Amino acid sequence: MPTARSLITIMLAVTLLSACSQVRPWERGYLAKKEMAWDTDALESALNDHIFFSKEAASGGDNAAGGGCGCN
Amino acid sequence: MLLLRRMQTTIGLLLVLVGPTTFAVEEGDKVPAFDFASIYADKPNINLEGLEGKTLFIDFWASWCAPCVLSLPLYNEMYHKYKDQGLEVIAINVDNPIEDGLDFLLDTPLDFLIPRDPEGDAAELFGVIGMPSSYLISPDGNVELVHMGFRSGDMEILEEEVKKVLASN
Amino acid sequence: MKPKPSRSLIALSTSALTLPGISLADAPPTQSTASYKISNYQEDDLSRSEAPFGDLDRYDIDVHQFKLISPVGRDFSVNIDANYETLTGASPWFTSVGLDGDPDVNLSGASGIRDKRTEVSIGARYYLENGSIGSNIGYSEENDYRASYVGFSGERHFNNDLTTVSLAFSHSADDIFPTDAERFGRVISESKYSSSAVFSVSQIINQFSTIKTAFSTTEQRGFLSDPYKLIDFRPDTKTQLAWSNSYRRFFVDTNAALHLNYRYYHDDFGISSHTIDTSWFQNLGRNYQLIPSIRYYSQSAADFFTNIDDFLKPLNEYQSSDYRLAAFGAISGGLSLVANFGNWTATLTAERYVASDKYAAYNINQPSTALVKYNRVSLGFDYSF
């Protein structure tokens, strides 16, 4: 018997997928803008990851977690 | 019942996501007939009929496409080198808004034919699947070469192919 | 001296130009880019009421970052990264009960602490038709800490480049040899190992927006306690899980982009956290960009956290008063100004971060007094050639 949770997940997936469209290769001008990158400033995000890693408990997420870390 | 319907909708949408395989111009095909407006409002249209007997190098580019931007000055050199042997370069700009393409040309003047294609109709006609894409067409309208992307070393490869087609016609 | 973490695996899963779908065939960057950033990080001093005895100055750190990324031949790119930091200041040594019954903090380093850290890493990436694979290695050293790390990653595009899947692995081996070990009865030399994996999926939604979801898992084992605390004993293994989601949206009429990120974290020390941050990239004319940003972070406490060190507790029971294992919340806000002219880009950034138990989303049984507040300013340059 499908749970309420799996029904909600499917509904969300359907909603999301229906919002997706075929973006043709020549239509990717906006996506190509520097401000649309996942990481717009590599040194800035490296520095922030470094600071937050040493001042907070959480780490990791969308990049391989900081190894070589002295902060427990 | 409701769950089954939802699953069918999901699968249907997934198939739509995967996308229909679009028609793409391939090597060995005949070049489709075209009639493009120039990016410059005061210049005449660029059409296949008016280019009879010429070897055509058709390229799709945009100001936001870094490899395209790298290739265009090199194509300009190639055009000057071989235009007396019958080469025409047709660089179709797909920028939308078209002003982005025009602004780029103000900084980087190019001497070959530049059609405008902000709606992507020409790109659709050729079935472009990546940016940039170039097509080398012999004077009898045969697609001799389809090349996608522009990496280091590609200019030499393309120039060799252009020389071959010019020599055999 | 508090060892500083190195930036390992410099954003493994993001290459220099992770812009969705430029061309169907993946390709190395078209130009080389050299970058340099100088930053100053300064923590607020403690007040006398928080630390009745000893030092009040916390950390003051200068950071220099260098990066060079270049295409090599048709199919490769290489990158070199180097960091150099100098640090002065003090960190919490132990906590005790103050006259008012609330915890007081005592900072280390009556003589003032100076440390330097140097890190170098090199990497390469190979580009195929529909994706790329890469690897990097790195090394970091300071006067009481040494780390070596290695990483591998791969990504593949599907569905006409609308979907990208990536997988990355990394491993790090660290050694710690605290200063003044014998004098203060600290451990002489210990090791720690860390391995992690990240899996992510990103999707182009339409011409203006993209989303990404990523799962990461990290295993640490070895000496995980803080050797500079008077009393600190933690388990010798730690498992961490994180799930992050990102959204990017371009607004044509405003000529600006919105970034929105959310991450949920949990580890087996008992800590869970939520992180949400957002930035607005506002283009100003052709050459300038203004980027305000705001971030909210909240974590729960580790199972063995205590805000007052218990010197009577048996030594084989886990215990730590390290504020980073406490329940707290933090809000930070920043502003960047970017100027781009030809091949040059300059970026000026200022950020203010305040951690407080007032901002916590989780229950606080034992508030920490040693929560940090800091200012950070950075100036960076990029040159493409």
Side-chain angles (χ1 to χ4, degrees):
Chain A
M1 198 57 214
T3 60
R5 183 179 268 174
S6 58
L7 272 175
I8 290 169
T9 312
I10 293 170
M11 278 159 60
L12 277 172
V14 166
T15 317
L16 196 66
L17 290 174
S18 57
C20 295
S21 53
Q22 277 294 323
V23 181
R24 314 306 290 274
W26 57 89
E27 294 172 331
R28 304 205 182 170
Y30 297 121
L31 301 172
K33 287 176 178 287
K34 288 207 196 81
E35 55 267 27
M36 284 296 286
W38 296 117
D39 188 0
T40 52
D41 186 336
L43 295 184
E44 174 82 10
S45 29
L47 181 67
N48 265 331
D49 283 359
H50 180 99
I51 295 173
F52 296 139
F53 196 119
S54 54
K55 300 294 153 187
E56 297 170 348
S59 66
D62 67 355
N63 53 296
C69 169
C71 301
N72 315 308
Chain B
M1 253 316 100
L2 184 61
L3 180 61
L4 192 62
R5 278 276 298 282
R6 289 205 197 283
M7 281 175 66
Q8 284 172 341
T9 320
T10 315
I11 291 167
L13 281 164
L14 278 168
L15 286 172
V16 166
L17 243 195
V18 168
T21 36
T22 49
F23 158 76
V25 165
E26 283 164 17
E27 290 171 16
D29 290 345
K30 279 282 186 196
V31 63
F34 57 81
D35 186 0
F36 303 137
S38 169
I39 196 173
Y40 301 109
D42 56 346
K43 292 217 172 147
N45 276 18
I46 298 143
N47 51 47
L48 186 59
E49 290 166 359
L51 295 160
E52 252 198 76
K54 298 274 190 174
T55 301
L56 307 176
F57 186 83
I58 300 176
D59 180 67
F60 286 86
W61 69 278
S63 64
W64 48 260
C65 157
C68 306
V69 163
L70 203 68
S71 67
L72 291 170
L74 300 173
Y75 291 160
N76 208 39
E77 281 175 29
M78 180 175 76
Y79 171 63
H80 283 293
K81 206 165 163 185
Y82 300 105
K83 67 178 188 189
D84 296 331
Q85 295 179 45
L87 178 70
E88 279 293 345
V89 174
I90 302 161
I92 305 173
N93 173 254
V94 297
D95 269 291
N96 188 347
I98 197 76
E99 284 71 34
D100 290 345
L102 286 164
D103 283 341
F104 172 81
L105 292 170
L106 285 174
D107 297 326
T108 314
L110 300 165
D111 307 314
F112 39 71
L113 300 167
I114 305 171
R116 64 163 57 199
D117 188 30
E119 303 306 314
D121 298 323
E124 192 81 63
L125 177 68
F126 277 74
V128 166
I129 50 175
M131 292 291 292
S133 280
S134 18
Y135 304 82
L136 179 60
I137 322 277
S138 70
D140 7 305
N142 293 321
V143 177
E144 302 291 334
L145 175 73
V146 175
H147 186 87
M148 249 215 316
F150 191 82
R151 296 194 188 187
S152 164
D154 279 358
M155 197 59 226
E156 287 72 25
I157 297 169
L158 291 170
E159 196 171 332
E160 273 311 302
E161 292 298 315
V162 166
K163 275 171 31 183
K164 266 191 236 163
V165 173
L166 289 172
S168 59
N169 285 282
Chain C
M1 191 87 21
K2 168 112 336 144
K4 286 278 140 218
S6 59
R7 166 71 183 166
S8 84
L9 321 168
I10 318 262
L12 255 198
S13 56
T14 59
S15 47
L17 298 170
T18 41
L19 297 165
I22 294 280
S23 70
L24 192 66
D26 217 335
T30 51
Q31 289 184 294
S32 298
T33 306
S35 307
Y36 169 70
K37 193 184 285 271
I38 182 171
S39 306
N40 174 259
Y41 165 98
Q42 186 137 25
E43 292 177 355
D44 289 7
D45 297 340
L46 292 177
S47 65
R48 256 312 158 214
S49 60
E50 290 170 305
F53 306 101
D55 240 334
L56 293 177
D57 295 341
R58 296 187 79 168
Y59 283 146
D60 185 341
I61 304 171
D62 291 322
V63 185
H64 302 265
Q65 295 168 282
F66 302 88
K67 186 181 193 76
L68 174 66
I69 184 157
S70 282
V72 172
R74 255 195 123 241
D75 306 316
F76 285 92
S77 70
V78 290
N79 64 280
I80 300 169
D81 290 75
N83 299 325
Y84 178 69
E85 293 173 18
T86 57
L87 177 161
T88 58
S91 70
W93 191 16
F94 64 93
T95 60
S96 49
V97 179
L99 294 171
D100 52 5
D102 285 339
D104 285 342
V105 176
N106 299 270
L107 293 184
S108 65
S111 56
I113 289 164
R114 281 183 151 50
D115 191 11
K116 292 195 249 292
R117 186 177 80 94
T118 308
E119 179 183 7
V120 179
S121 106
I122 57 172
R125 196 147 199 99
Y126 175 64
Y127 295 83
L128 298 122
E129 241 343 273
N130 281 315
S132 62
I133 54 174
S135 174
N136 75 345
I137 59 168
Y139 179 73
S140 167
E141 186 177 275
E142 54 203 284
N143 68 349
D144 61 354
Y145 201 90
R146 199 167 41 215
S148 313
Y149 54 85
V150 65
F152 299 94
S153 72
E155 65 172 31
R156 199 184 191 286
H157 308 295
F158 297 91
N159 191 15
N160 295 329
D161 263 10
L162 294 175
T163 311
T164 303
V165 170
S166 89
L167 189 58
F169 298 99
S170 63
H171 181 76
S172 168
D174 306 358
D175 292 313
I176 178 163
F177 27 96
T179 52
D180 296 325
E182 277 167 34
R183 189 166 142 217
F184 289 99
R186 295 168 177 155
V187 294
I188 307 292
S189 169
E190 293 289 344
S191 304
K192 179 176 109 171
Y193 301 94
S194 172
S195 301
S196 71
V198 190
F199 172 73
S200 77
V201 180
S202 68
Q203 176 72 34
I204 291 176
I205 299 174
N206 55 33
Q207 289 186 47
F208 317 101
S209 41
T210 56
I211 46 161
K212 178 161 78 160
T213 192
F215 299 93
S216 77
T217 172
T218 304
E219 283 287 327
Q220 293 187 48
R221 60 186 169 89
F223 185 78
L224 306 183
S225 310
D226 186 336
Y228 291 100
K229 298 247 185 300
L230 205 48
I231 181 160
D232 189 296
F233 179 46
R234 309 181 198 187
D236 59 7
T237 59
K238 183 179 184 186
T239 303
Q240 301 169 280
L241 300 166
W243 177 40
S244 71
N245 297 284
S246 310
Y247 175 67
R248 304 279 178 269
R249 167 71 149 106
F250 187 76
F251 294 92
V252 181
D253 296 334
T254 343
N255 193 13
L258 171 73
H259 288 212
L260 189 59
N261 305 303
Y262 166 72
R263 176 188 63 186
Y264 174 72
Y265 167 94
H266 182 77
D267 66 32
D268 63 0
F269 279 9
I271 299 177
S272 296
S273 81
H274 297 285
T275 312
I276 182 161
D277 70 88
T278 183
S279 312
W280 180 261
F281 288 68
Q282 180 62 60
N283 286 304
L284 302 168
R286 309 199 63 174
N287 303 106
Y288 296 95
Q289 205 174 61
L290 192 64
I291 310 161
S293 60
I294 189 164
R295 176 181 186 269
Y296 172 72
Y297 175 83
S298 182
Q299 67 177 54
S300 65
D303 299 332
F304 50 86
F305 172 76
T306 171
N307 63 354
I308 296 174
D309 285 319
D310 184 354
F311 295 95
L312 299 176
K313 202 165 184 172
L315 290 175
N316 63 351
E317 280 180 32
Y318 300 132
Q319 171 182 203
S320 175
S321 62
D322 190 333
Y323 77 85
R324 288 161 315 146
L325 303 181
F328 67 88
I331 294 181
S332 59
L335 190 63
S336 279
L337 178 64
V338 182
N340 173 241
F341 289 93
N343 292 323
W344 284 94
T345 305
T347 308
L348 183 63
T349 306
E351 189 189 359
R352 170 83 182 145
Y353 175 106
V354 175
S356 164
D357 40 75
K358 285 191 305 232
Y359 302 146
Y362 291 92
N363 285 335
I364 303 183
N365 296 323
Q366 304 186 60
S368 169
T369 41
L371 297 177
V372 89
K373 301 181 176 58
Y374 67 80
N375 293 326
R376 194 253 307 178
V377 285
S378 300
L379 177 62
F381 298 99
D382 301 282
Y383 177 64
S384 295
F385 55 97

